[in-house]
Amino acid sequence: MKSIRKRGAVAGTAIVVSLALAACSGASSTTTPDATPPSAAPTASSTGEAGASHNDADTMFAQMMIVHHEGAIEMADLAVERAASEEVRSLAEGISAAQGPEIEKMTSWLEAWGEETMSMGGMDHGGMDMDGMSQEEAMAELAGLSGVEFDRRFLELMIAHHEGAVEMAQTELEDGQNTEALALSEQIVADQEAEIAEMQQLLSTI
């Protein structure tokens, strides 16, 4: 009698264990697909969420630097037409070629951030003077010059213009948050300080 009871208990235990294993196996088969993330799931970088992180300093930097770059391009394009020196003309072409793509980049940031984009036509140039002159005054003076006089004055004004850009970029490096804006600020400082040195050298030879 005891033997029969023992066999019954063992059989019962075996059934319980079998059912438990089956349950575990079933749970595993139904939950495994859910545990695997979809391969096409968007990342923060692909959706642009990471690039949207910015503060007021980033916004101001992009808005003001767009206008500043547009002013530099306006001056540079005039120099391409009027410069007497091939070196000055080549420098002006390089400035225009480099700053155009940067304007596009900063404009795309502002659009992604939901911030207002700016341009020379819709923004005051206050604080962007060159040797005490506004963009409009500088362009008017350059328009009345030619030859070596034009080259010299263009270099003087563009040096002052670049110094303003470097100052704006350094402010962004101190107060900004967006990683792309900070990286561009570092690039602007390096590039424009190098061009300032080049223009100072050209001035000494004219």
Side-chain angles (χ1 to χ4, degrees):
M1 189 68 175
K2 290 182 179 179
S3 174
I4 293 173
R5 288 177 178 173
K6 181 182 289 187
R7 285 198 299 271
V10 170
T13 301
I15 293 172
V16 171
V17 170
S18 298
L19 290 173
L21 290 173
C24 289
S25 175
S28 175
S29 64
T30 56
T31 58
T32 299
D34 293 338
T36 303
S39 59
T43 62
S45 59
S46 66
T47 58
E49 292 177 3
S53 176
H54 70 289
N55 60 15
D56 289 344
D58 298 320
T59 300
M60 181 65 70
F61 164 74
Q63 290 173 335
M64 299 293 282
M65 192 62 78
I66 286 171
V67 178
H68 202 266
H69 274 14
E70 286 178 342
I73 290 174
E74 184 180 34
M75 293 169 61
D77 287 348
L78 183 61
V80 170
E81 297 175 3
R82 295 202 176 192
S85 165
E86 182 60 36
E87 290 84 357
V88 172
R89 188 177 302 109
S90 178
L91 172 74
E93 289 174 346
I95 290 172
S96 184
Q99 297 195 17
E102 290 179 355
I103 289 174
E104 294 178 2
K105 181 183 294 187
M106 290 183 286
T107 299
S108 71
W109 294 345
L110 290 170
E111 291 172 348
W113 298 341
E115 302 286 358
E116 184 179 0
T117 58
M118 298 292 185
S119 67
M120 285 199 301
M123 191 172 186
D124 181 26
H125 287 267
M128 295 189 188
D129 62 284
M130 296 157 279
D131 288 348
M133 302 176 68
S134 67
Q135 177 74 21
E136 292 77 12
E137 291 169 338
M139 289 299 297
E141 180 179 351
L142 288 172
L145 301 174
S146 61
V148 174
E149 288 185 347
F150 175 91
D151 289 4
R152 174 170 287 278
R153 191 56 178 151
F154 167 76
L155 291 172
E156 290 172 346
L157 291 172
M158 190 60 81
I159 287 172
H161 200 273
H162 273 29
E163 288 172 343
V166 169
E167 184 177 347
M168 291 165 62
Q170 288 173 335
T171 298
E172 165 64 10
L173 289 172
E174 293 173 3
D175 302 332
Q177 171 183 321
N178 183 268
T179 54
E180 290 183 275
L182 293 171
L184 179 60
S185 296
E186 291 180 347
Q187 181 182 331
I188 287 173
V189 171
D191 291 349
Q192 301 214 7
E193 284 184 342
E195 288 177 352
I196 287 171
E198 181 181 356
M199 289 187 285
Q200 290 172 334
Q201 177 61 33
L202 285 173
L203 266 176
S204 68
T205 65
I206 295 177

